[in-house]
Amino acid sequence: MRDSMEEILVKAHPVIFRDYKKSPQETCLAWGLECGDGWFAIIKELCKDVDEYCKDRPFVIVADQVKEKFGTLRFYYHTERSGGEDSDEDYRVIRDIVSKYERLSEVTCEVTGQPGTMHMRSPSGWIRTLSKEQAKIGGYVVVPKSQRL
């Protein structure tokens, strides 16, 4: 993702992205958000929902890594207690929020943000979720649903 887009997310969600661009010995966010610009809106909404849920809770969510893996968004995080008690329900809700947006990336072009499907590039086997136009430009072919992870 372009630095300018990443910086918008970091400014809007300073707690979630507090480790952004720290050293590689501290965080995988040292390399920024490792996905295309097309998922900016997905990540923005994910962070908004997480922040909204956590605002009156005894913990915060901190991103460890945000990247594309096997054609979909991966949002790795940890919780940090800020006092009080948290619950299994809190963890389930956060997990469900993250899963919702990771699933949305399965049908959103990583490059453009338009509707997309999983495509594979031969012979490397690299999988990305792309629009038909972006797949054609990059030499990707559709991955049959039976072969998706």
Side-chain angles (χ1 to χ4, degrees):
M1 183 174 292
R2 286 181 283 156
D3 287 346
S4 60
M5 297 178 91
E6 291 179 358
E7 289 168 9
I8 291 168
L9 293 168
V10 171
K11 285 180 184 174
H13 307 283
V15 174
I16 292 173
F17 293 111
R18 69 146 198 238
D19 293 339
Y20 177 74
K21 297 290 185 170
K22 286 188 176 179
S23 85
Q25 288 77 28
E26 298 176 84
T27 179
C28 290
L29 281 180
W31 296 281
L33 281 65
E34 302 172 85
C35 61
D37 294 350
W39 289 347
F40 172 83
I42 292 173
I43 298 166
K44 180 180 173 186
E45 290 301 309
L46 184 159
C47 291
K48 182 178 80 96
D49 286 359
V50 165
D51 274 349
E52 181 66 27
Y53 184 78
C54 291
K55 75 178 177 186
D56 297 321
R57 300 286 192 276
F59 61 90
V60 296
I61 300 299
V62 178
D64 295 317
Q65 187 175 29
V66 180
K67 68 179 190 174
E68 175 278 328
K69 184 174 181 178
F70 300 123
T72 62
L73 176 67
R74 296 293 195 272
F75 187 91
Y76 299 111
Y77 62 93
H78 69 275
T79 60
E80 288 189 3
R81 295 176 55 87
S82 57
E85 294 293 320
D86 47 4
S87 68
D88 289 343
E89 176 68 9
D90 289 328
Y91 292 115
R92 186 194 60 74
V93 170
I94 296 298
R95 186 185 64 238
D96 289 350
I97 290 169
V98 170
S99 294
K100 170 186 170 181
Y101 290 102
E102 288 178 340
R103 283 190 310 274
L104 184 56
S105 74
E106 294 176 12
V107 294
T108 305
C109 177
E110 183 184 355
V111 176
T112 66
Q114 299 299 312
T117 55
M118 284 194 175
H119 290 79
M120 182 183 291
R121 186 178 213 174
S122 294
S124 69
W126 195 264
I127 298 171
R128 295 183 74 190
T129 299
L130 300 167
S131 65
K132 289 179 184 178
E133 296 80 18
Q134 290 299 316
K136 185 175 181 178
I137 290 168
Y140 288 79
V141 296
V142 173
V143 176
K145 285 187 180 186
S146 63
Q147 294 180 6
R148 296 180 190 171
L149 297 176

